[in-house]
Amino acid sequence: MRKVLSPNEIIVLKNGDSARRIKIGQMIGDGATCIAYEAERITETGAMLRCRVKECYPFGAHIVREGVLLCWEDEDEKVAAFKRMKDAHELLTQLRNDETVGNSITSAELFEGNGTIYSVMELNHASTYESDKSTSLPEILDTMRVLTEVVGKSIAKDICIWILNRAISL
């Protein structure tokens, strides 16, 4: 059984020269390859920006959590899990940059730390459920069209299951 990060836990993530301090909130998704959390990124000025964090922590993997650190008992398993997450991130980046898809995919950054990989997605620019409740039928149909295109492109790249898992876990 996977052990989740505790709410209010602070993790520090680095990607080259870029670093993020993240305050973990509640777990919101428990998918096959990752655990997703509500979170807040702490800026250099101390401001808190809403985000989602996906922690690469595959179900059934031989991993022991020691605080925020994930200790992998099988290096090959770790390498394969990291490759899957990086490949999925690369595909989502390609889809995000595809002009025919529209703006339906939120970009994310990958960070390594604490023995695993994290995908961090900023939420400040996103719409909320309240703002979407008044959406008109033509807008809903347009969103469905865009999502259908995304799924079609994803199937062509053999990752439809991953995207569905991502959507469910967020």
Side-chain angles (χ1 to χ4, degrees):
M1 185 156 144
R2 295 184 286 189
K3 185 176 175 187
V4 301
L5 291 168
S6 300
N8 299 315
E9 187 87 54
I10 303 291
I11 59 175
V12 178
L13 308 175
K14 294 185 180 179
N15 179 359
D17 292 336
S18 181
R20 299 280 188 274
R21 286 184 27 189
I22 307 287
K23 180 181 176 185
I24 297 296
Q26 294 296 318
M27 180 185 79
I28 57 171
D30 187 8
T33 61
C34 299
I35 297 177
Y37 302 92
E38 289 279 359
E40 294 177 307
R41 180 170 66 87
I42 306 167
T43 68
E44 292 177 6
T45 63
M48 306 292 266
L49 303 176
R50 289 182 52 227
C51 63
R52 295 275 192 286
V53 173
K54 286 184 66 179
E55 178 182 47
C56 182
Y57 190 169
F59 183 78
H62 299 92
I63 301 172
V64 175
R65 182 180 296 280
E66 296 177 2
V68 297
L69 182 66
L70 290 184
C71 302
W72 297 70
E73 296 175 358
D74 183 336
E75 186 65 24
D76 291 337
E77 195 172 51
K78 176 181 176 179
V79 168
F82 281 23
K83 182 177 182 338
R84 280 190 307 273
M85 190 153 178
K86 287 177 180 177
D87 288 350
H89 180 265
E90 174 74 23
L91 179 59
L92 286 175
T93 300
Q94 289 172 10
L95 288 172
R96 171 75 173 146
N97 294 331
D98 185 334
E99 293 177 9
T100 65
V101 173
N103 196 17
S104 62
I105 298 174
T106 304
S107 58
E109 289 183 88
L110 282 184
F111 294 90
E112 290 193 38
N114 307 318
T116 193
I117 294 180
Y118 298 88
S119 175
V120 178
M121 235 181 327
E122 301 284 337
L123 296 179
N124 293 330
H125 62 281
S127 62
T128 65
Y129 175 70
E130 286 299 317
S131 67
D132 286 343
K133 282 198 312 189
S134 63
T135 302
S136 69
L137 181 58
E139 290 172 316
I140 291 171
L141 293 174
D142 188 51
T143 300
M144 290 174 63
R145 179 194 56 75
V146 170
L147 289 174
T148 301
E149 290 175 11
V150 170
V151 170
K153 289 175 186 253
S154 301
I155 289 170
K157 302 237 185 195
D158 291 326
I159 66 132
C160 184
I161 293 172
W162 184 88
I163 287 178
L164 292 174
N165 179 31
R166 177 180 183 274
I168 291 167
S169 69
L170 292 178

